Amino acid sequence: MAKKRSAKRRAAKRAQPQIAVSRTCSSGVCDPERTQGLRAPAPNGSHVLVTLEGPGVFLGAAVTKQGGTNDLTFVILDIDGRNVTNLSYAAAANAGLTQHNPYGLVLLHSTALKTVTIGFPSPLRYERKLVLRVTVNEPNVVQILGNVIHGAA
């Protein structure tokens, strides 16, 4: 036969404070997610695609451009006020950044789209802010789509 427990005992167990568990996520990145920004159409000028408040960890990004006439659209990544990447689609093509490399920037393209990917061998930590933006210096850019993969610090 089961014993009856008193209500006082059960209430006392529920009232105990929760102890915070510290996570280190040493085998990976805590809470990974994707944040996306779209600008359609994308007229000449500077456009912020993604802004993330820190602290956090940057894992990678991709900025896809549809349209344009001369590839003078710049992809700019700033972390905590410091410039990490500032490169046009034309410069990436001219520098031969069209395949995987340790520099972390790659230009991929199809007949209709061009994508600059950003990813480094080690995650980059940001304490205050991460900003992914583009500066469009060409006509007829139909849209620009930016994705940032990031995690908790």
Side-chain angles (χ1 to χ4, degrees), residues 58-89:
F58 170 78
L59 300 173
V63 180
T64 301
K65 175 178 78 91
Q66 179 183 5
T69 57
N70 58 19
D71 290 340
L72 289 179
T73 293
F74 288 78
V75 175
I76 303 157
L77 176 66
D78 293 325
I79 294 180
D80 291 338
R82 297 181 134 193
N83 183 256
V84 177
T85 298
N86 189 340
L87 187 74
S88 72
Y89 287 82

Side-chain angles (χ1 to χ4, degrees), residues 64-141:
T64 301
K65 175 178 78 91
Q66 179 183 5
T69 57
N70 58 19
D71 290 340
L72 289 179
T73 293
F74 288 78
V75 175
I76 303 157
L77 176 66
D78 293 325
I79 294 180
D80 291 338
R82 297 181 134 193
N83 183 256
V84 177
T85 298
N86 189 340
L87 187 74
S88 72
Y89 287 82
N94 291 340
L97 298 174
T98 56
Q99 61 185 357
H100 180 73
N101 62 73
Y103 185 61
L105 299 172
V106 177
L107 172 67
L108 306 166
H109 61 88
S110 67
T111 55
L113 304 173
K114 292 185 179 176
T115 300
V116 169
T117 61
I118 306 167
F120 302 100
S122 298
L124 302 180
R125 183 179 170 95
Y126 56 96
E127 294 296 327
R128 296 180 309 274
K129 186 185 285 189
L130 178 145
V131 179
L132 178 67
R133 61 189 168 94
V134 294
T135 299
V136 179
N137 294 322
E138 59 181 314
N140 303 323
V141 176

Side-chain angles (χ1 to χ4, degrees), residues 136-151:
V136 179
N137 294 322
E138 59 181 314
N140 303 323
V141 176
V142 177
Q143 68 177 356
I144 296 180
L145 177 68
N147 285 291
V148 174
I149 308 299
H150 57 97

Side-chain angles (χ1 to χ4, degrees), residues 6-89:
S6 70
K8 286 183 182 178
R9 267 190 151 163
R10 281 183 276 169
K13 285 185 178 179
R14 280 188 234 135
Q16 292 176 354
Q18 296 288 331
I19 297 173
V21 177
S22 177
R23 296 187 317 168
T24 60
C25 300
S26 61
S27 62
V29 174
C30 296
D31 305 322
E33 66 178 297
R34 175 182 58 94
T35 301
Q36 185 176 77
L38 172 68
R39 181 65 187 207
N44 282 7
S46 184
H47 309 287
V48 174
L49 298 173
V50 175
T51 300
L52 301 172
E53 297 297 325
V57 178
F58 170 78
L59 300 173
V63 180
T64 301
K65 175 178 78 91
Q66 179 183 5
T69 57
N70 58 19
D71 290 340
L72 289 179
T73 293
F74 288 78
V75 175
I76 303 157
L77 176 66
D78 293 325
I79 294 180
D80 291 338
R82 297 181 134 193
N83 183 256
V84 177
T85 298
N86 189 340
L87 187 74
S88 72
Y89 287 82

